Amino acid sequence: MSRPGPIPPPGALGMGRPGVGGGVADIQGLKRRVHRRLLERLNLSNLQNIERGQAESAIRGVIHDLIAAEQVALNLDERERLIQEVLDEIFGLGPLEPLMHDPEVSDILVNTHKQVYVERRGKLELTDVRFQDDRHLMQVIDRIVSAVGRRIDDSSPMVDARLADGSRVNAIIPPLALDGPHLSIRKFKRDTLSGEDLLRNESVTRPMLELLDGIVKARLNVLISGGTGAGKTTLLNILSSFIPVDERIVTIEDSAELQLRQPHVVRLETRPANIEGQGEVPQRMLVINALRMRPDRIILGECRGAEAVDMLQAMNTGHDGSLTTLHANSPRDALARLETMVSMANLNLPEKAMRQQIASAIQVVIQVSRLQDGTRKIMSIAEIVGMEGDVITMQDIFVYERTGIDEKGRVQGRFKATGIRPRFAERLKAYGINLSGMLFSDMLDQPAAGVHGNGPAPATHNRLNW
């Protein structure tokens, strides 16, 4: 069934005019009555056995009859809007459905039933979407978590889940959330970004993209570092697209988000403990199991704890070309966090031994950031070159230098090659990847985000949603 276009606000439909019966409150009351009577007339268990399109067609007819029985004057737009809202309450996420179908919305943040924020183009906006009450919001949360076999209640008041389309969901309720239930949805992008999209959005330059392509194909181990919402997972998706199609890839994630296009992919996902506190399968257990599955590459969605030590050992023992991400504000901070995670495994390794493991396992650290104007950029591509005493040494290959902010609040800056030829250049050559020596020249400074030599910045420069 084709879905109607964006739903205008109630006032735009004339819902407050006397003929309708008193305004938005009466429309909400009508919707609740229609919904209740619809549930009384339908056998919901039978609906699960037929396709949604057929079910919707049958339900629309019943709703038409129920509205007619109410004897309320509704024009065609109001009637269609009411029918769609009732269908959303039965099959979807209620008031959030229009936002889920808005391609410009990347995040939906529900702060109790009273507030719903969305992120568009990297900026948060307050919407006029509301739930009837916290009980209404809890019904939507229960529908989401039960669909993936999880639960949320007083004994387990927070949960990570995902929608059928892959969107990532986090919910937290009282007693942990003092004001009421909170719901966060990171929308899944059906059209995965490519390297060319990064170029159009001025997140990288052509030389940087060529280098990243070579790094993946030469099977270098890569760590992607960045803050929340910086685009780590999206960049991981793009880098994974450079992996040859004849390799066996095993992905390990807390909540499955990666969209690999290769034909030979094994996807693993962690499992939380059940109501008795049993049955948990953490990432570390999955990493250990993945080593027995004859992978060519292991992709760990995000390092958060003791699984870091097993990931490093895999990188050091023949599983070259592995990729992972972690939260950190700089490449140096990323290595410090990695040390902390290794120590969580309680192996009692000396500090120098931990750093030697890291320095030998990881060759490249990529730092990504979301800037204050909402754009996301690769801030640096750095090579780990080894140890000097007790310190891991690194060198930047490419960096992004900020130069200021223009009158419209857009960040200005440029991508810059440091002029250093990386030590892994010979490995790239051994894999048949012949990058020009000029690629690393500091003569290849590139403009970005507002610094353009030929006319104004393109309209897409502030459109980055990865």
Side-chain angles (χ1 to χ4, degrees):
M1 184 190 70
S2 61
R3 183 177 183 84
I7 297 173
L13 297 178
M15 289 189 175
R17 70 182 193 275
V20 175
V24 176
D26 282 350
I27 289 295
Q28 291 298 324
L30 174 61
K31 186 176 76 171
R32 285 195 293 270
R33 291 196 301 274
V34 170
H35 188 196
R36 183 179 66 252
R37 291 173 184 172
L38 180 66
L39 294 179
E40 291 171 355
R41 291 181 57 173
L42 293 177
N43 186 338
L44 294 182
S45 60
N46 288 342
L47 291 179
Q48 299 175 358
N49 300 324
I50 61 177
E51 294 182 358
R52 175 168 174 170
Q54 293 177 325
E56 285 189 0
S57 178
I59 288 173
R60 289 177 76 88
V62 177
I63 294 175
H64 273 293
D65 294 341
L66 293 174
I67 293 175
E70 288 284 339
Q71 297 183 345
V72 177
L74 296 175
N75 63 35
L76 184 61
D77 287 338
E78 292 166 349
R79 184 181 296 265
E80 183 60 36
R81 179 174 185 266
L82 179 61
I83 291 173
Q84 191 59 53
E85 286 185 356
V86 174
L87 289 173
D88 289 343
E89 291 292 342
I90 296 174
F91 293 108
L93 304 183
L96 301 182
E97 277 294 314
L99 300 178
M100 291 298 298
H101 291 271
D102 187 339
E104 291 191 344
V105 172
S106 56
D107 284 83
I108 301 173
L109 308 172
V110 183
N111 303 331
T112 73
H113 71 279
K114 301 175 183 177
Q115 278 186 337
V116 178
Y117 281 85
V118 297
E119 181 185 277
R120 287 188 176 95
R121 305 181 188 90
K123 293 289 187 179
L124 289 179
E125 302 174 7
L126 179 63
T127 70
D128 59 358
V129 174
R130 300 290 184 274
F131 287 82
Q132 296 168 14
D133 48 35
D134 282 345
R135 181 181 177 185
H136 184 201
L137 175 55
M138 279 301 303
Q139 290 174 348
V140 172
I141 293 174
D142 284 333
R143 187 178 304 147
I144 293 172
V145 301
S146 62
V148 292
R150 300 190 180 182
R151 64 187 179 85
I152 187 165
D153 50 37
D154 289 348
S155 61
S156 179
M158 58 183 178
V159 68
D160 285 312
R162 68 177 185 275
L163 301 177
D165 67 354
S167 297
R168 186 171 63 191
V169 177
N170 175 268
I172 185 167
I173 65 173
L176 299 186
L178 301 181
D179 300 322
H182 292 258
L183 177 67
S184 305
I185 300 176
R186 172 72 56 85
K187 282 178 60 179
F188 181 84
K189 298 188 74 65
R190 292 174 176 82
D191 300 324
T192 56
L193 294 183
S194 65
E196 294 301 319
D197 291 315
L198 296 187
L199 290 173
R200 280 193 296 272
N201 291 321
E202 298 184 353
S203 298
V204 295
T205 60
R206 178 68 67 180
M208 294 170 67
L209 191 59
E210 289 179 13
L211 179 61
L212 293 176
D213 180 69
I215 285 171
V216 174
K217 289 179 177 174
R219 301 181 64 85
L220 297 175
N221 294 321
V222 178
L223 174 65
I224 300 172
S225 163
T228 300
K232 300 184 297 298
T233 301
T234 304
L235 181 58
L236 185 59
N237 265 319
I238 293 171
L239 293 186
S240 67
S241 70
F242 301 146
I243 298 175
V245 296
D246 60 347
E247 295 189 16
R248 176 176 169 86
I249 306 168
V250 177
T251 68
I252 301 166
E253 301 175 84
D254 263 341
S255 182
E257 294 178 88
L258 294 174
Q259 306 171 59
L260 273 65
R261 304 160 191 166
Q262 287 81 354
H264 198 167
V265 178
V266 178
R267 303 170 69 217
L268 307 180
E269 186 180 48
T270 61
R271 186 178 71 183
N274 59 22
I275 192 169
E276 291 85 16
Q278 304 296 319
E280 180 183 11
V281 180
Q283 282 199 117
R284 186 175 188 187
M285 190 178 298
L286 292 179
V287 173
I288 295 171
N289 186 79
L291 298 178
R292 306 184 183 114
M293 300 176 68
R294 199 262 176 218
D296 289 310
R297 310 252 187 169
I298 297 176
I299 300 180
L300 183 60
E302 183 177 344
C303 263
R304 288 193 177 96
E307 68 272 5
V309 67
D310 299 290
M311 188 68 190
L312 292 176
Q313 289 178 349
M315 291 176 171
N316 272 322
T317 56
H319 296 91
D320 295 337
S322 296
L323 309 169
T324 188
T325 74
L326 59 73
H327 280 77
N329 295 321
S330 70
R332 182 60 63 181
D333 286 345
L335 300 186
R337 281 214 65 208
L338 206 51
E339 284 185 49
T340 303
M341 293 175 190
V342 171
S343 66
M344 292 179 184
N346 296 321
L347 299 179
N348 297 319
L349 287 175
E351 190 174 80
K352 185 174 182 179
M354 281 194 293
R355 292 176 180 173
Q356 286 174 334
Q357 282 268 346
I358 294 170
S360 62
I362 298 172
Q363 286 88 42
V364 179
V365 180
I366 303 171
Q367 181 70 31
V368 295
S369 292
R370 177 166 60 177
L371 305 182
Q372 64 196 69
D373 62 355
T375 58
R376 295 171 171 90
K377 298 190 182 297
I378 293 181
M379 303 301 289
S380 71
I381 301 174
E383 177 187 27
I384 295 180
V385 296
M387 295 277 295
E388 287 186 5
D390 292 341
V391 179
I392 300 174
T393 57
M394 306 174 68
Q395 58 186 17
D396 288 328
I397 311 302
F398 286 96
V399 295
Y400 176 75
E401 293 182 345
R402 295 178 58 165
T403 58
I405 299 176
D406 66 13
E407 64 279 0
K408 295 183 179 180
R410 297 177 303 191
V411 175
Q412 297 196 355
R414 62 177 182 171
F415 293 102
K416 185 177 187 297
T418 61
I420 298 174
R421 183 178 178 84
R423 295 190 180 185
F424 58 68
E426 292 303 317
R427 176 162 177 165
L428 267 61
K429 186 176 180 181
Y431 274 80
I433 303 165
N434 296 308
L435 300 177
S436 168
M438 288 293 291
L439 186 74
F440 310 109
S441 171
D442 58 3
M443 299 297 290
L444 286 175
D445 293 1
Q446 298 286 331
V451 183
H452 297 268
N454 299 312
T460 59
H461 87 282
N462 198 29
R463 200 165 49 81
L464 191 57
N465 287 324
W466 58 282

